[in-house]
Amino acid sequence: MTLPTKVKLVDVGPRDGLQNEKEPVPAAVKIELVHRLQAAGLKNIEVTSFVSPKWVPQMADNAEVMAGIARQNDICYSVLTPNLQGFEAAKASKPDQIVVFGAASEAFSQRNINCSIADSIERFRPVVEAAHAQGISVRGAISCSVGCPYEGEIAPERVGLVAKLMKDIGVDHIYVADTIGVGTPRKVQAAMDAALAHYDLDHTAGHFHDTYGQALANTLAAMEMGVWQFDTSVAGLGGCPYAKGATGNVASEDVVYLLRGMGIDTGIDLDALVDAGQYISGFLQRKPNSRAATALLNKRQA
Ligand code: HMG
Ligand code: MG
């Protein structure tokens, strides 16, 4: 077991975190959240998605949010683009990276992006080509890598299959997503292993929702395999509109606390990250969904 010495976190709070909010969050608030994340030292931020506003109304202000960010050269700003129409719309915003999102479950693929797994790959193919032609790298999400809200348990072979399909069309990086947070360490490791048959460690990440409180354990289990890149969400915000009942990604604050305690470098200032989480939680009128943030905020008050 060799744990990585540094870990890269992609904060997906502005996108995965906010996409499921029922009340519109103003673009100015989303922009301020991105600014606070970059002030906390995040070098990778998933900002928004260029999807149908009929499907996900909360992301309809995608171009406005991207245009409003005071960008820093050393930060990678990514956006979701499910098809060529989304990529064309995103292009003017100059994302550094785009994300195509497929699934290891047929039913979830249909519900989330309205097509089969095979069709999704055909939709992604020209997106990957167009992105590469612009020098933009592509991440591929494999949703429901452990379990699906419609199909139940998912076999690791299906993760491997989608990883291979993504590799074949030139997706640069993939991430194994536990969309509904049902995974436990051994199952997550098996899904990771299947993905790692097609992508190396530098091009494979974990994206764990925390519905059953397992995401931190799953993060550590993936790190035991050498995985060093994870998506996390400030204040544990989020959920997917097409995975009812699923909660947000593992809180960025909890992961940073864990890594800091283990002497693993993230380059992130935990106090500033807690401030960012407090900012967005305050706007949403709830407490941060992060144990570490709650403890640190209590300590500040004491
Ligand atoms: P569709 O209805 O099959 O698309 O939707 P279509 O090509 O048939 O077009 C229908 C209409 O949508 C047309 O408009 C298009 O212009 C429009 P109309 O003529 O009816 O007015 N349209 C678009 N509009 C804006 N942007 C676009 C776009 N494409 C078509 N890119 C589509 C297919 C993929 C668009 C739809 O299913 C969709 O938007 N789905 C979004 C789902 C989504 O955002 N889910 C949440 C993100 S994924 C997630 O959270 C999981 C992840 O975190 C990993 C994990 O945890 O598992 C990534
Ligand atoms: Mg997600």
Side-chain angles (χ1 to χ4, degrees):
M1 182 181 92
T2 318
L3 289 174
T5 53
K6 66 164 188 183
V7 161
K8 173 175 131 183
L9 299 185
V10 179
D11 201 297
V12 298
R15 192 283 301 173
D16 203 333
L18 294 179
Q19 69 182 7
N20 210 23
E21 288 299 325
K22 294 289 161 281
E23 296 302 319
V25 178
V29 173
K30 294 171 178 161
I31 293 164
E32 179 63 19
L33 175 61
V34 171
H35 287 164
R36 286 176 184 244
L37 290 172
Q38 53 193 35
L42 262 304
K43 297 295 177 207
N44 296 272
I45 304 174
E46 198 170 272
V47 178
T48 185
S49 48
F50 287 80
V51 299
S52 162
K54 287 186 190 142
W55 285 61
V56 186
Q58 187 64 257
M59 297 285 108
D61 58 1
N62 40 33
E64 187 185 351
V65 173
M66 283 295 279
I69 298 169
R71 287 170 74 151
Q72 293 179 9
N73 288 337
D74 60 345
I75 296 183
C76 175
Y77 302 91
S78 57
V79 302
L80 266 58
T81 58
N83 52 18
L84 208 46
Q85 185 174 341
F87 179 75
E88 288 302 325
K91 232 165 48 179
S93 298
K94 298 198 182 307
D96 299 301
Q97 187 170 60
I98 57 146
V99 182
V100 293
F101 45 106
S105 143
E106 277 297 345
F108 187 79
S109 181
Q110 289 289 353
R111 304 275 179 126
N112 195 40
I113 52 174
N114 205 23
C115 64
S116 67
I117 295 171
D119 287 347
S120 75
I121 297 295
E122 290 319 310
R123 284 190 190 177
F124 300 154
R125 189 190 299 275
V127 178
V128 177
E129 275 170 20
H132 285 168
Q134 305 270 321
I136 299 171
S137 67
V138 182
R139 292 217 301 160
I142 308 179
S143 286
C144 297
S145 283
V146 189
C148 167
Y150 313 107
E151 292 184 16
E153 200 151 326
I154 297 291
E157 294 72 40
R158 293 165 69 183
V159 177
L161 182 68
V162 180
K164 182 184 181 316
L165 292 170
M166 288 203 175
K167 184 85 184 178
D168 289 346
I169 59 166
V171 169
D172 303 294
H173 307 254
I174 47 162
Y175 64 84
V176 169
D178 182 7
T179 313
I180 54 172
V182 287
T184 42
R186 295 285 172 256
K187 287 183 184 174
V188 165
Q189 285 180 332
M192 275 290 172
D193 216 31
L196 286 165
H198 304 282
Y199 282 84
D200 63 24
L201 280 170
D202 290 344
H203 297 90
T204 307
H207 174 113
F208 307 136
H209 285 260
D210 199 28
T211 319
Y212 287 81
Q214 304 298 302
L216 205 55
N218 292 338
T219 302
L220 191 55
M223 279 167 54
E224 286 177 357
M225 303 173 74
V227 176
W228 61 278
Q229 304 177 83
F230 297 95
D231 293 358
T232 63
S233 180
V234 67
L237 295 172
C240 173
Y242 300 99
K244 291 257 173 300
T247 63
N249 292 81
V250 63
S252 307
E253 297 92 317
D254 292 350
V255 176
V256 171
Y257 181 84
L258 170 84
L259 296 172
R260 197 176 72 167
M262 295 176 76
I264 296 171
D265 179 34
T266 61
I268 297 165
D269 175 341
L270 182 54
D271 278 320
L273 184 60
V274 169
D275 292 340
Q278 198 182 20
Y279 166 75
I280 191 64
S281 303
F283 175 81
L284 297 170
Q285 297 186 303
R286 65 177 78 123
K287 291 192 176 351
N289 193 13
S290 154
R291 300 287 280 268
T294 304
L296 290 167
L297 288 168
N298 286 342
K299 203 167 157 190
R300 279 185 197 173
Q301 268 192 342

